[in-house]
Amino acid sequence: MTKDRKIRLGAFVRGPGHHVAAWRHPDVPANPGLSFQHYADAARTAERGLFDMVFLADSLSARNGEQPIETFERTGHVVHFEPLTLLSALSTITQRIGLVATASTTYWEPFHLARLFASVDHLSGGRTGWNDVTSADAPAAANFSRDQHPVHADRYDRAEEFVAVAQKLWDSWDDDAFVADKASGIAIERHGIHAPDHVGRHFRVKGPLNVARPPQGHPVIVQAGSSDAGQQLAARTAEVVFTAHPTLESARGFYTELKGRLGGFGRSADSLKIMPGVFPVVAPTRTEAEDKFDAIQRLVDPVVGVALVSGLLGGVDLSGHPLDGPLPELGSSDAVKSRLKVVSELAASRNLTIRQLYLAIAGARGHFQIVGTPKDVADMMEEWFTGGAADGFNVMPPILPTGLTDFVDLVIPELQRRGLFRTAYEGRTLRENLGLARPVRGAAEHQERKAS
Amino acid sequence: MTKDRKIRLGAFVRGPGHHVAAWRHPDVPANPGLSFQHYADAARTAERGLFDMVFLADSLSARNGEQPIETFERTGHVVHFEPLTLLSALSTITQRIGLVATASTTYWEPFHLARLFASVDHLSGGRTGWNDVTSADAPAAANFSRDQHPVHADRYDRAEEFVAVAQKLWDSWDDDAFVADKASGIAIERHGIHAPDHVGRHFRVKGPLNVARPPQGHPVIVQAGSSDAGQQLAARTAEVVFTAHPTLESARGFYTELKGRLGGFGRSADSLKIMPGVFPVVAPTRTEAEDKFDAIQRLVDPVVGVALVSGLLGGVDLSGHPLDGPLPELGSSDAVKSRLKVVSELAASRNLTIRQLYLAIAGARGHFQIVGTPKDVADMMEEWFTGGAADGFNVMPPILPTGLTDFVDLVIPELQRRGLFRTAYEGRTLRENLGLARPVRGAAEHQERKAS
């Protein structure tokens, strides 16, 4: 470990917090998903804690139509802000923290999305990141005039072209193309114009973009796919990977494999930061931490618990199976493959009943869960960080705002004391703080030409 | 005129200002289109002036590929923020002013756009409006994998269905559907769920939206079309119409015709506010105002002037025609029909050369242009407002920030002295300030069922 290497931290802000019963907790405000004050407080707390970024998830549907009303009416956080508009608003009340939003390449158009992210990068002075995901859920398809979502392989093919088009659009202009010379009347340096003129399998996009090159060159590219196709896409284009691992061994295997793929794309190991999700329930003593966790677990409605397991398994019907019996045998499916693997392995490895399984994942949902003292959490992070399993972590507070405040007040000082975490922001942009290079204009396109 | 009827005002904020040479003016900052500080100052000035709304235009391309480089490199304001992200940011630094963004129904998906506007309406506490336009420009088509933009009639058919789908999506939930009852574990009142399940000619959208009903019920619907199809769409769905009229007579004719169409849709005359654009160059004396205007006009590069006329005429090639000769005879086209009519009528009525024509439209571009004292501007507005030509105006400052500051400091007090304009905001939402009713949930859908 070099002296300069520091843990990277994301604050994964989900309105009520990550625990499935978070919305019922007395510390959580009612319907926080549409309270700007709530998100503003969380972003300010994360910035006070010197987090690299705020991370927002997304989905393109509110309801799976096949979900029974008994489950749906018990579901918290069904409605919330659209992430890019929320980030734009947050950009005005923060100064240094990165702002990462999730958006799907399956149902967006590259021109719209590249433009929105470029705009937020300008609004925030270079603090944006894009978590590009593909959409696997049928309910989203039904909101976009499609009968079915595309199959896994096609989604990734589209995703790869989508990211390439977005990068070309961000590279539409030299950084100094807009000379705005009032005396001569020349507004744009003509050699600084580089329209993409993209013609591909999925998209034809002429350009140029009607936003100047983003302050970061490109917003930071974040990804979360763990399938083989997902890893290839990440190895080629991602700069941050958010991933779910319930054990150190699983995380280490993923870390080794993904870092190993970078060379094939001419990339160095440190050009991609791997950040597993961590769900921390932290308190000054272990007893207090366990009590805190129990208080949340007690709020899980069995109807919701079973639906959670079923949902993570791609909609498997568990209604005929007793709560205190084992998970039934599962076939393979085109649904979110990585989650399926994680959840079913978890159930098998610990011999869990359905009830035990939903309580085991009601918080972290397949991510690493830790209930303990600040030292326990720092120990775990240090072990993963120095043991070849992580460059940092996406912190998933169980409830908000207190779960994040606890982490900032209790864990951050311990990480700083150990020299594992910054004591001040190093730079002004998200790239600078993450230690990622600013992309040279046209480099992605150049690489594409070489490859073909 | 009733005592309560007041002039409605929009501040049409275009980065450098509306004059085609605005970017070259010494009072205008370099590249204001991507300066948040610049837009924030303009929004705060408009709010200080008690304007109903800030209005942002939009386009989905930076460059017409057929435009010669000599013109393009002399074009100001080619790049700028995307309007919805900009409005989201502005929502945090303003309290009462409305925030209206333009977005095209031709290249957006209803779920994305309805969601973005709903999100901004929540962020702003009910201050959003959507100027829905159709896209007629070929360069936009080339950014969205299309060979050509759709023909006029099809665009309006899609637009009408698009607005209906958006309204159904905003009506996905009762206003009080999210009960968030922590004790019982019921998050959503089941009878408050109303998924659109829309199946139409252009879209199939199941819903519900993943944003709660907007604070205003629906964002205020703004439109700008003046063709027959545009007026029908406006009469059916618009609540504010922004329109371009170079004379009082033209504005009065449009006002009478459009208001006359409302009855056919069961709507009252005051449920739609007609706001012609006004380009005011204002100073304490007429001489000062004229000097101010001359100083801007002198900055028009002939290359840009000719391109402006050509562009407003849908891309007609004027290169073979002498600057000091007349405009050539023009055929009809599918391009923006209303603008074509306005510009060619203007040239014919005043017997203008090409040079005189471009100087005549370099500022207002077909909108009403007035150069004079605060009294002159107030007289004109009073005449249009009381004379059946306008419910208010979309004010298009020639340059920013000073053109807007001048209006707020000089014209607003004169309008207030005459009792024509508010002295304080009446409400908290844009609807309340405009005097528009909050839509009853499901009313649009009910009307649609009756009509079919």
Side-chain angles (χ1 to χ4, degrees), chain A residues 197-395:
Chain A
D197 248 323
H198 174 89
V199 179
R201 253 193 75 190
H202 300 272
F203 306 108
R204 281 173 295 130
V205 181
K206 193 174 173 69
L209 194 65
N210 51 357
V211 182
R213 195 158 193 258
Q216 294 186 103
H218 304 168
V220 173
I221 301 289
V222 183
Q223 270 160 29
S226 328
S227 68
D228 187 64
Q231 283 201 43
Q232 274 305 100
L233 183 62
R236 180 169 183 155
T237 62
E239 301 173 289
V240 171
V241 164
F242 174 39
T243 177
H245 296 282
T247 64
L248 170 61
E249 292 63 42
S250 159
R252 192 181 277 141
F254 178 81
Y255 188 95
T256 307
E257 185 179 347
L258 181 51
K259 292 270 179 173
R261 292 183 191 224
L262 293 172
F265 296 98
R267 300 181 60 189
S268 69
D270 64 357
S271 67
L272 185 156
K273 312 296 178 191
I274 298 179
M275 297 171 60
V278 175
F279 176 93
V281 183
V282 62
T285 67
R286 284 197 188 163
T287 311
E288 286 170 279
E290 278 154 20
D291 288 350
K292 199 184 262 193
F293 190 46
D294 285 348
I296 314 176
Q297 291 281 73
R298 273 196 300 274
L299 299 173
V300 182
D301 189 317
V303 174
V304 174
V306 172
L308 175 69
V309 172
S310 163
L312 282 177
L313 297 177
V316 171
D317 183 10
L318 297 172
S319 54
H321 302 273
L323 274 189
D324 296 307
L327 199 64
E329 208 50 43
L330 298 164
S332 82
S333 115
D334 187 44
V336 190
K337 288 184 176 173
S338 51
R339 289 301 183 82
L340 180 67
K341 198 159 153 269
V342 166
V343 174
S344 53
E345 279 176 8
L346 177 69
S349 71
R350 299 202 212 153
N351 211 17
L352 301 180
T353 65
I354 291 178
R355 188 197 304 271
Q356 288 164 335
L357 179 60
Y358 78 61
L359 283 173
I361 61 174
R365 302 180 210 188
H367 291 268
F368 189 80
Q369 178 170 297
I370 179 164
V371 180
T373 64
K375 183 177 174 303
D376 291 335
V377 177
D379 284 351
M380 171 261 151
M381 289 189 165
E382 182 164 6
E383 185 181 13
W384 287 43
F385 179 64
T386 58
D391 296 312
F393 303 91
N394 210 357
V395 177

Side-chain angles (χ1 to χ4, degrees), chain B residues 360-385:
Chain B
I361 61 174
R365 305 182 208 184
H367 290 268
F368 189 80
Q369 177 169 297
I370 179 164
V371 181
T373 64
K375 183 179 175 304
D376 292 335
V377 177
D379 284 351
M380 171 260 151
M381 287 190 165
E382 182 163 6
E383 187 181 13
W384 287 43
F385 178 66

Side-chain angles (χ1 to χ4, degrees), chain B residues 91-436:
Chain B
S91 75
T92 67
I93 60 105
T94 53
Q95 282 75 47
R96 305 294 283 270
I97 196 165
L99 303 165
V100 179
T102 300
S104 167
T105 56
T106 309
Y107 297 115
W108 278 95
E109 285 282 339
F111 193 89
H112 282 316
L113 204 59
R115 186 182 179 209
L116 287 161
F117 275 104
S119 189
V120 184
D121 208 49
H122 280 281
L123 281 170
S124 62
R127 296 188 283 131
T128 315
W130 168 30
N131 178 37
D132 68 276
V133 299
T134 65
S135 295
D137 53 325
N143 289 332
F144 292 90
S145 303
R146 323 275 173 96
D147 291 316
Q148 234 182 325
H149 58 87
V151 296
H152 197 267
D154 262 17
R155 288 206 314 274
Y156 275 90
D157 192 58
R158 181 182 161 106
E160 184 159 337
E161 187 179 331
F162 195 117
V163 174
V165 174
Q167 291 174 330
K168 289 185 202 176
L169 284 167
W170 293 324
D171 284 355
S172 288
W173 311 97
D174 281 351
D175 290 307
D176 52 2
F178 296 94
V179 292
D181 184 347
K182 293 182 181 188
S184 70
I186 298 294
I188 308 170
E189 158 54 46
R190 61 165 76 180
H191 301 293
I193 310 166
H194 309 276
D197 247 322
H198 174 89
V199 178
R201 254 193 74 191
H202 300 272
F203 307 107
R204 280 175 296 131
V205 181
K206 192 172 173 70
L209 194 64
N210 51 356
V211 183
R213 195 159 194 254
Q216 294 185 104
H218 304 167
V220 173
I221 300 289
V222 183
Q223 270 162 28
S226 326
S227 67
D228 187 62
Q231 282 200 43
Q232 274 305 100
L233 183 61
R236 179 167 182 156
T237 62
E239 301 174 289
V240 171
V241 164
F242 174 39
T243 176
H245 295 281
T247 65
L248 170 61
E249 291 64 41
S250 159
R252 192 181 278 142
F254 177 82
Y255 188 95
T256 307
E257 186 179 347
L258 181 51
K259 292 270 180 173
R261 292 184 191 223
L262 293 172
F265 296 96
R267 300 181 60 189
S268 69
D270 64 356
S271 68
L272 186 156
K273 312 295 177 190
I274 298 179
M275 297 173 59
V278 174
F279 176 93
V281 184
V282 62
T285 68
R286 284 193 187 166
T287 311
E288 287 169 279
E290 278 154 19
D291 288 350
K292 198 183 265 194
F293 190 45
D294 285 348
I296 313 176
Q297 291 281 70
R298 273 195 301 275
L299 299 173
V300 181
D301 189 318
V303 174
V304 174
V306 172
L308 175 68
V309 172
S310 164
L312 282 177
L313 296 177
V316 170
D317 182 11
L318 298 170
S319 56
H321 301 273
L323 274 189
D324 297 307
L327 199 64
E329 207 53 40
L330 299 163
S332 81
S333 112
D334 186 42
V336 190
K337 286 183 175 174
S338 52
R339 289 299 184 80
L340 180 68
K341 195 159 156 268
V342 167
V343 175
S344 54
E345 279 178 8
L346 177 70
S349 70
R350 300 204 211 151
N351 212 17
L352 301 179
T353 66
I354 291 177
R355 187 195 305 273
Q356 289 164 333
L357 179 59
Y358 78 61
L359 283 173
I361 61 174
R365 305 182 208 184
H367 290 268
F368 189 80
Q369 177 169 297
I370 179 164
V371 181
T373 64
K375 183 179 175 304
D376 292 335
V377 177
D379 284 351
M380 171 260 151
M381 287 190 165
E382 182 163 6
E383 187 181 13
W384 287 43
F385 178 66
T386 58
D391 296 311
F393 303 90
N394 210 356
V395 177
M396 306 164 74
I399 56 174
L400 284 172
T402 51
L404 184 60
T405 327
D406 287 349
F407 191 93
V408 167
D409 293 336
L410 301 173
V411 181
I412 293 286
E414 178 63 21
L415 294 174
Q416 287 171 327
R417 203 187 51 74
R418 299 181 188 195
L420 293 167
F421 190 64
R422 65 164 63 89
T423 52
Y425 283 111
E426 298 85 12
R428 296 212 72 88
T429 69
L430 175 56
R431 281 188 182 280
E432 286 168 4
N433 285 318
L434 285 172
L436 294 168

